[in-house]
Amino acid sequence: MLDREGFRPNVGIILLNANNEVWWGKRVREHSWQFPQGGIKYGETPEQAMYRELEEEIGLRQEHVKIVGRTRDWLRYEVPDHFIKREIRGHYRGQKQIWFLLRMVARDNDVNLRLTDHPEFDAWRWHDYWVPLDVVIEFKRDVYQRALQELSRFLTWPAGGGHTHERRHTARYLRQPHAPRHQAASAAAAAPAAAPVVITPAPPELILSPTKE
């Protein structure tokens, strides 16, 4: 579903925890990190699409979050031709997004990256609100900056708590579904404390697909 200018309606999700840290996901078998996002289906409102994508991509349902705010209007980015499927080049230009700021009221353990057969992410972590844009694919960076800037007006900080970050930002990785428990434990014990965990996730999808991103 494209508009007259060739942009596909889409939603983006910035999910906060109680410390105003944001949910930050690593794309399957890639070195790029991003927020959850996905297309709006025919007949859906942006809010309905947001809840569907939230569940499909990170396993959280409506009761697990509260809406804090949303962008006033669409934020657009164009997709370079070499990321676009050949059959739709010349028609599809990119995404126009409504971004939602959510507060998570569930537990970290409620996050489930394997709810679908084709996971979008193979690791996640909590990160300071102003995420490093150099790990975001280049053509999305401007929209990320604009969304974070616009939605930052909804942030409130605990009285006297300031902007402290004592939490260690440890990534949670997508588990292999049939890995023996003792094998996983021994591998974790042998690995250096700061070393990345190597995961073999489900087969990757294209970096960008007009039917999903």
Side-chain angles (χ1 to χ4, degrees), residues 79-98:
V79 177
D81 280 348
H82 61 279
F83 287 119
I84 301 175
K85 292 181 179 180
R86 184 177 303 172
E87 60 269 23
I88 61 172
R89 288 179 187 170
H91 304 285
Y92 172 75
R93 290 180 58 190
Q95 310 284 6
K96 64 176 186 180
Q97 299 177 312
I98 295 293

Side-chain angles (χ1 to χ4, degrees), residues 45-191:
T45 66
E47 185 173 318
Q48 290 169 336
M50 178 272 291
Y51 284 127
R52 177 179 51 76
E53 290 293 337
L54 183 72
E55 183 168 8
E56 290 177 0
E57 296 201 350
I58 64 177
L60 296 181
R61 298 185 299 275
Q62 183 172 346
E63 61 266 27
H64 292 143
V65 298
K66 293 182 178 179
I67 296 178
V68 178
R70 55 169 283 177
T71 54
R72 299 180 182 92
D73 204 350
W74 300 101
L75 303 181
R76 291 173 171 80
Y77 66 80
E78 296 193 13
V79 177
D81 280 348
H82 61 279
F83 287 119
I84 301 175
K85 292 181 179 180
R86 184 177 303 172
E87 60 269 23
I88 61 172
R89 288 179 187 170
H91 304 285
Y92 172 75
R93 290 180 58 190
Q95 310 284 6
K96 64 176 186 180
Q97 299 177 312
I98 295 293
W99 281 83
F100 288 87
L101 183 67
L102 307 179
R103 178 80 64 185
M104 184 167 165
V105 294
R107 302 168 301 173
D108 287 7
N109 289 342
D110 290 317
V111 173
N112 179 9
L113 302 182
R114 274 206 184 274
L115 192 64
T116 68
D117 294 332
H118 301 285
E120 293 290 318
F121 304 103
D122 59 16
W124 71 276
R125 62 186 293 184
W126 292 114
H127 199 285
D128 296 344
Y129 182 81
W130 298 105
V131 294
L133 297 182
D134 59 335
V135 297
V136 178
I137 196 164
E138 185 175 3
F139 56 84
K140 294 183 181 181
R141 292 175 188 172
D142 180 62
V143 162
Y144 270 51
Q145 181 66 39
R146 291 158 60 196
L148 288 165
Q149 185 65 47
E150 181 175 346
L151 295 173
S152 66
R153 63 194 176 95
F154 295 106
L155 293 181
T156 57
W157 299 96
H163 198 144
T164 59
H165 301 286
E166 298 178 357
R167 164 194 296 270
R168 291 191 305 170
H169 300 292
T170 304
R172 283 86 162 169
Y173 284 81
L174 182 65
R175 296 181 182 275
Q176 296 181 6
H178 304 298
R181 186 173 299 177
H182 69 277
Q183 180 180 342
S186 61

